[in-house]
Amino acid sequence: MHRAKRTELLYALLFTAPFLVYLLVFHGYAFVRAVFFSLTNKDLFNTPSFVGLANYVYLFRDERFLLALQHSVSFTVVVTVLQTFLALVMAAIVNQRIRGIIFFRTVYYVPSILSSAAVTLIAIWFFQRNGFLNSIIGWFGAYGPVILAFLGIFVLAQAAQVMWERSRGLPVGVFDPALAALSLLVAIAGSWILSATGWVTPREAAPFDLAWLSETRSFLGIPIPLWAIILLNTFTTIPTLMLIFLAGLQDIPRSVYEAAAIDGASPVQQFFHITIPMLRPVSFLVITLSLIGTLQMFDQVALLGNASSLDSIITLAYFVYNNVFNSNVPGNVGIASAGALLLALLTFAIVGLQRAFGISEKGY
């Protein structure tokens, strides 16, 4: 090997040595130990003895493991779809060149820098039977007629203005901000008049009564307490993914949009035929990170503690923890190691399927 190349290789190894040591000690060694323990009856007190694949067979006969597997897959599918779509929408919004956009970018990013423990504790109050979420749902139920009247007047006013301007030959959009501002004023005045004259009044509605965290019912096959964690996790993860999408959006040349606009493409057509295809590598990164993160969901489940029953929120990562530190038979390391390896295999399989049949990292 040429001397210069040997020197370059030496410097590369020196600079990467700390990270390589970290990988070998905390990941490589831990992985080998997990494989070994998964084939034994190891617990925190005895000397392990070889049991072959008995731990894996036990897992697929254990109802709680199958329940955790079902929860993890459902959680991953729902959260990945929600947070990817919402992060892309928010990134498109904060990518606009409007006054004060830096303030809105900062506000939208704040949830991602908050402590997960603090956010979860706030969420426990938020989802209580007499918490904020039930209160706001009850408020919307009581003032539903007034809100519907406001929205109806706004849509009618906006449609009338757009039709009027287009009849004069002016190329205004449906969501033209100047017309929308005027429609907003008309809707506020109209709904106030209807409410003051008694045409539309708030109705008597019973308070919304749902114990989100202790509820035993399911919605779409997912326990309602797990839906609460889905909402919480989506809220805290969107800002980070939004930032990744925003970096991708700012890398798309403006000239492409200008050329499309000259050819008559509407903003919606530009979004679906330019933005989404050119964001494919970024979308692949976002979806992959989301799949890995959601399959390993642990902290928010653990922090909820006794606020919810274990069988309504348990995930695979928490199943592993529960078998070592919080089980009625403490220190079941062999079962936990087998569960951790199955979780790793599931993660590889889902990410591989997403790459093969979903959005790949290849550019447009």
Side-chain angles (χ1 to χ4, degrees):
M1 184 181 293
H2 195 273
R3 182 177 179 182
K5 286 191 175 293
R6 287 201 301 270
T7 304
E8 184 180 350
L9 178 61
L10 178 62
Y11 279 118
L13 289 174
L14 285 175
F15 280 113
T16 57
F19 186 65
L20 291 175
V21 170
Y22 166 80
L23 281 179
L24 289 174
V25 172
F26 292 100
H27 292 267
Y29 175 72
F31 178 77
V32 173
R33 294 277 289 180
V35 172
F36 170 71
F37 286 145
S38 72
L39 302 175
T40 69
N41 62 350
K42 167 73 176 174
D43 62 28
L44 293 180
F45 307 105
N46 69 347
T47 301
S49 57
F50 185 74
V51 295
L53 298 176
N55 289 332
Y56 295 93
V57 175
Y58 170 82
L59 285 178
F60 285 103
R61 292 175 178 171
D62 183 16
E63 292 184 0
R64 178 161 285 177
F65 173 80
L66 297 177
L67 189 63
L69 177 61
Q70 177 188 342
H71 287 173
S72 289
V73 173
S74 305
F75 182 87
T76 296
V77 172
V78 175
V79 173
T80 299
V81 172
L82 280 179
Q83 65 189 14
T84 302
F85 172 74
L86 295 176
L88 178 58
V89 171
M90 289 184 64
I93 293 173
V94 299
N95 193 41
Q96 304 300 314
R97 294 179 178 177
I98 58 177
R99 180 171 295 180
I101 194 62
I102 295 177
F103 169 77
F104 290 108
R105 288 176 182 173
T106 305
V107 169
Y108 290 158
Y109 191 69
V110 164
S112 70
I113 62 174
L114 298 177
S115 162
S116 179
V119 173
T120 305
L121 290 176
I122 294 172
I124 291 175
W125 164 79
F126 184 83
F127 289 112
Q128 289 294 318
R129 187 185 293 275
N130 57 351
F132 178 79
L133 183 57
N134 281 356
S135 299
I136 198 69
I137 292 175
W139 186 88
F140 274 105
Y143 285 86
V146 179
I147 295 171
L148 288 176
F150 170 82
L151 293 176
I153 295 173
F154 178 84
V155 170
L156 290 175
Q158 184 74 1
Q161 290 188 90
V162 170
M163 292 174 63
W164 168 255
E165 296 295 342
R166 289 184 177 179
S167 68
R168 298 168 56 198
L170 298 177
V172 296
V174 175
F175 302 103
D176 185 273
L179 299 183
L182 184 57
S183 299
L184 182 65
L185 293 176
V186 172
I188 293 173
S191 57
W192 180 81
I193 292 172
L194 290 176
S195 180
T197 56
W199 283 86
V200 178
T201 57
R203 62 184 179 184
E204 293 290 334
F208 190 76
D209 186 20
L210 178 63
W212 292 81
L213 299 180
S214 58
E215 183 62 54
T216 57
R217 291 175 295 175
S218 298
F219 177 68
L220 297 177
I222 300 175
I224 288 178
L226 193 59
W227 276 108
I229 299 178
I230 287 173
L231 295 177
L232 175 61
N233 186 262
T234 302
F235 169 73
T236 55
T237 313
I238 282 178
T240 302
L241 303 182
M242 177 199 73
L243 206 61
I244 299 174
F245 272 129
L246 181 61
L249 286 173
Q250 294 187 343
D251 199 36
I252 300 176
R254 283 279 171 190
S255 58
V256 178
Y257 291 104
E258 292 169 358
I262 292 173
D263 289 339
S266 66
V268 175
Q269 290 173 319
Q270 293 176 25
F271 181 78
F272 283 103
H273 296 287
I274 296 176
T275 304
I276 291 181
M278 297 190 77
L279 279 178
R280 175 171 288 183
V282 178
S283 301
F284 170 77
L285 173 64
V286 168
I287 293 174
T288 302
L289 291 176
S290 180
L291 288 173
I292 295 172
T294 50
L295 281 170
Q296 297 175 350
M297 163 52 57
F298 170 78
D299 54 345
Q300 288 167 348
V301 174
L303 288 168
L304 279 183
N306 296 326
S308 301
S309 67
L310 181 61
D311 286 340
S312 64
I313 58 174
I314 189 169
T315 57
L316 283 178
Y318 193 80
F319 175 88
V320 173
Y321 165 84
N322 192 56
N323 268 277
V324 179
F325 300 107
N326 200 27
S327 172
N328 293 327
V329 184
N332 208 342
V333 179
I335 297 292
S337 299
L341 290 175
L342 288 177
L343 173 59
L345 288 175
L346 179 67
T347 304
F348 278 117
I350 290 181
V351 172
L353 287 173
Q354 192 281 132
R355 185 182 181 190
F357 302 105
I359 298 176
S360 69
E361 72 274 31
K362 295 179 181 177
Y364 54 91

